[in-house]
Amino acid sequence: MNDILQGLSAAFWLVVSLDSELIDISLRSLRVTLTALVISCIIAVPLGAYLAVQRFRYRRLVIAGINALMGLPPVVVGLVVYLLLSRSGPFGVFGLLFTPTAMIIAQVIIITPLIASIAHQAIRELWAEYHDLLISLNTTKWQRIKTLIWDGRRNLLTAALAGFGRAIGEVGAIMIVGGNIDNVTRVLTTAIALETGKGDFALALGLGFVLIGLSMIVSITIHSLSRTEREGRW
Amino acid sequence: MTQMLPLTLTDVVVRRRGKRIIGPVTHRLEQGPPTIVIGPNGSGKTTLLRVIHGIERISTGQVNWTHDAPDQQAFVFQNPIVLRRTVAENLAYPLRLAGVDKAEIISRVTTWLARIGLDALANTAATRLSGGERQKLAIARALIRTPQVLFLDEPCANLDGHTTREIEALLSETATAGTRLIMATHNMGQARRLAGDVIFMLNGKIHESGAANYIMNTPQTSELKSFFQGDIVT
Ligand SMILES: Nc1ncnc2c1ncn2[C@@H]1O[C@H](COP(=O)(O)OP(=O)(O)O)[C@@H](O)[C@H]1O
Ligand SMILES: [Mg+2]
């Protein structure tokens, strides 16, 4: 109990004093995760839509594969990305290991299947609703996908939110590929792990509360964007 | 503009899961006043319209337009499909697909909003409309590209008398303006008011067909006679 109170006050002071290290770490967390989120959405949303609209031989298999990838243990993703990016690995020449880019790559691999799966589900329902009309209007495949993504944007935002939640709180993979280097790849989750290891529970908890606050702010912002969206002029 | 009609159906059969749903159907449709498709539930009216429109795969036989132009046809489904967009955006949608320029879209949408009496609801989400409003919207959206052929599948089922009258007036004007209507209905009064000729479907086949004023007064088959008397026909 005492630890929690101390954590709360530590968090309070960290925030009100605008602790420069905290701000650095928080911004890095946001930058890495939001970059990963944007890249994942660019891949996952059209993929989900395509899987809903297009019938092909191994479609069920691909969907099952994506659903299986959702359960991929992040630590294993981290390990594999590590091996691929390490000096002796196939992508070693790019020197990406222990950089924010490596962390972004790991997060993209972790959240893309999740977003694709939720997006596919949402778009499949909308496609069932629109199917006859879009066929009747003789739409091209690309027009169908565009229409479904646009009209399903609220549900797709939920998918993105789920991806954001998973990525911002992830620690195992980014610890491995980022290395938790001070001022370079240290983010909120890895800093919490570090402080906990050092026994500085107050600071760890303080960082934890900042993390929770940050993800809540982002969630609420994204959510209110979709909610308050006016019916609008056409 | 090249004339799509006449249209000929030759020995058209639709089978689903080994069961014959319609056919064999052989029929010829000329340019002219509306064709009304009548018949008991499950007799194949919807399937026949979908086959002619080209959105239902046929198992054997042929559908031959004099000039086949998918973008010159439109279909109004029994349960109106509205896009999760504003009323005005629903009307604009087929025009956007066709790449019509912005000024033209605005002018046509404005005209049609007034014509179906939904101008005050232009910026309302279409999903909030009542059943009758949705159906009027679906019809206007089908007509906004001035198709040569318009299919309607029981457009006034479940609608009140006032809305039915409005829709019938709109359809009469549309037919007079040169759009070929092909419409399934359950409403014999409506058939009488709109029909140029009648197709009577029974058990997936065209049981009887001919000019409306003739067939409605002197049905040739006992089944159509019973159908007009409101008996159960099988
Ligand atoms: N996709 C389908 N698969 C199997 N049976 C179908 C399918 N579509 C329609 N049917 C069946 O075909 C028959 C004709 O249906 P339909 O054309 O909707 O008739 P109607 O519009 O006159 O009520 C019905 O018995 C219906 O159950
Ligand atoms: Mg029907």
Side-chain angles (χ1 to χ4, degrees), chain A:
Chain A
M1 197 62 218
N2 207 20
D3 283 341
I4 293 180
L5 286 178
Q6 277 181 5
L8 267 174
S9 83
F12 181 75
W13 284 115
L14 281 173
V15 172
V16 296
S17 65
L18 292 174
D19 182 88
S20 70
E21 200 183 343
L22 174 78
I23 288 173
D24 268 4
I25 292 179
S26 302
L27 287 180
R28 193 173 302 118
S29 270
L30 274 181
R31 201 163 54 233
V32 167
T33 297
L34 290 177
T35 308
L37 183 62
V38 169
I39 295 171
S40 288
C41 285
I42 290 172
I43 301 168
V45 169
L47 176 65
Y50 183 77
L51 288 173
V53 170
Q54 179 66 36
R55 302 182 159 275
F56 55 92
R57 205 160 217 259
Y58 296 108
R59 182 171 71 149
R60 283 167 166 276
L61 201 70
V62 172
I63 293 167
I66 289 173
N67 288 336
L69 287 175
M70 265 200 304
L72 220 54
V75 182
V76 178
V77 173
L79 178 61
V80 171
V81 173
Y82 182 98
L83 293 173
L84 292 175
L85 298 184
S86 67
R87 290 241 167 273
S88 53
F91 304 106
V93 286
F94 299 113
L96 290 175
L97 199 60
F98 305 137
T99 64
T101 307
M103 296 154 77
I104 291 169
I105 293 171
Q107 289 198 341
V108 166
I109 295 172
I110 291 167
I111 65 174
T112 298
L114 176 71
I115 298 175
S117 182
I118 302 176
H120 171 246
Q121 191 65 35
I123 289 178
R124 205 176 56 172
E125 277 166 28
L126 193 58
W127 176 231
E129 191 179 317
Y130 282 9
H131 179 274
D132 282 352
L133 177 66
L134 297 192
I135 300 286
S136 162
L137 284 169
N138 204 31
T139 46
T140 63
K141 201 131 285 168
W142 176 234
Q143 287 172 328
R144 288 171 202 171
I145 289 175
K146 265 200 318 199
T147 301
L148 292 169
I149 290 177
W150 180 247
D151 287 7
R153 61 195 180 281
R154 279 156 210 242
N155 295 334
L156 294 175
L157 225 44
T158 310
L161 220 49
F164 175 81
R166 181 133 202 244
I168 191 94
E170 206 285 315
V171 57
I174 54 171
M175 184 77 99
I176 295 175
V177 302
N180 194 22
I181 302 166
D182 201 8
N183 284 322
V184 185
T185 56
R186 182 160 304 161
V187 292
L188 282 166
T189 51
T190 56
I192 291 170
L194 180 72
E195 298 305 333
T196 308
K198 290 199 308 201
D200 194 342
F201 298 121
L203 183 54
L205 262 176
L207 291 164
F209 286 124
V210 172
L211 177 60
I212 292 172
L214 211 59
S215 62
M216 271 167 56
I217 289 170
V218 172
S219 300
I220 291 167
T221 309
I222 295 182
H223 221 82
S224 62
L225 276 181
S226 77
R227 273 287 161 80
T228 58
E229 189 200 352
R230 279 163 298 128
E231 288 176 337
R233 303 196 63 78
W234 53 283

Side-chain angles (χ1 to χ4, degrees), chain B residues 112-123:
Chain B
W112 275 101
L113 281 170
R115 212 163 155 195
I116 56 174
L118 293 183
D119 7 18
L121 299 174
N123 296 317

